[in-house]
Amino acid sequence: QVQLVESGGGLVQTGGSLRLSCRASGRTFSTYGMGWFRQAPGKEREFVAFIDWSGGTTYYADFAKGRFAISKDNAKNTVYLQMNSLKPEDTASYYCAAGNTRALITTARRYDYWGQGTQVTVSS
């Protein structure tokens, strides 16, 4: 069992930055692939970024490339999402997820555990 708790969301102006954190419980955190997703009101949950169990492989949605960076600290059981150059369209609830796999996963249904989400609001 893995429990995930996100933090770091908030209100930021266009062009600003935020760093989201997701702390996991459980001794097997280091073996899980981790992802970030987001969901805006009235829209489906969409993939943002993925990092594999070792932290050596990352993958991003096109809208996140060059602006967002995912990282993982296995010693702290924490995964991060650094978000720069934020835009109003980035406004959403952001969720981290853990998947018990070493494969790259970008679809929500393949993740096993989810956090409760943290709200990011970007004002214009």
Side-chain angles (χ1 to χ4, degrees):
Q1 187 80 7
V2 176
Q3 293 183 329
L4 305 172
V5 179
E6 301 98 333
S7 62
L11 174 64
V12 65
Q13 291 185 335
T14 297
S17 298
L18 284 174
R19 188 177 80 155
L20 306 183
S21 300
C22 173
R23 182 170 175 82
S25 63
R27 293 178 294 175
T28 58
F29 172 78
S30 62
T31 66
Y32 280 70
M34 301 296 296
W36 284 97
F37 287 75
R38 69 184 187 183
Q39 187 167 20
K43 295 187 177 181
E44 293 186 354
R45 189 167 297 191
E46 65 175 344
F47 169 77
V48 177
F50 168 85
I51 189 166
D52 77 345
W53 67 278
S54 70
T57 298
T58 58
Y59 186 79
Y60 298 91
D62 285 345
F63 66 80
K65 291 177 182 177
R67 298 191 300 129
F68 295 2
I70 189 171
S71 60
K72 190 172 187 248
D73 187 336
N74 285 335
K76 295 183 178 180
N77 277 12
T78 301
V79 63
Y80 304 96
L81 184 68
Q82 177 67 43
M83 304 188 295
N84 300 322
S85 301
L86 284 163
K87 307 173 182 179
E89 51 264 44
D90 294 318
T91 295
S93 292
Y94 283 71
Y95 300 86
C96 72
N100 189 10
T101 176
R102 294 195 172 192
L104 166 64
I105 43 177
T106 61
T107 54
R109 67 178 183 275
R110 294 188 63 190
Y111 283 85
D112 302 293
Y113 303 101
W114 290 85
Q116 83 290 348
T118 186
Q119 178 66 35
V120 171
T121 303
V122 184
S123 64
S124 57

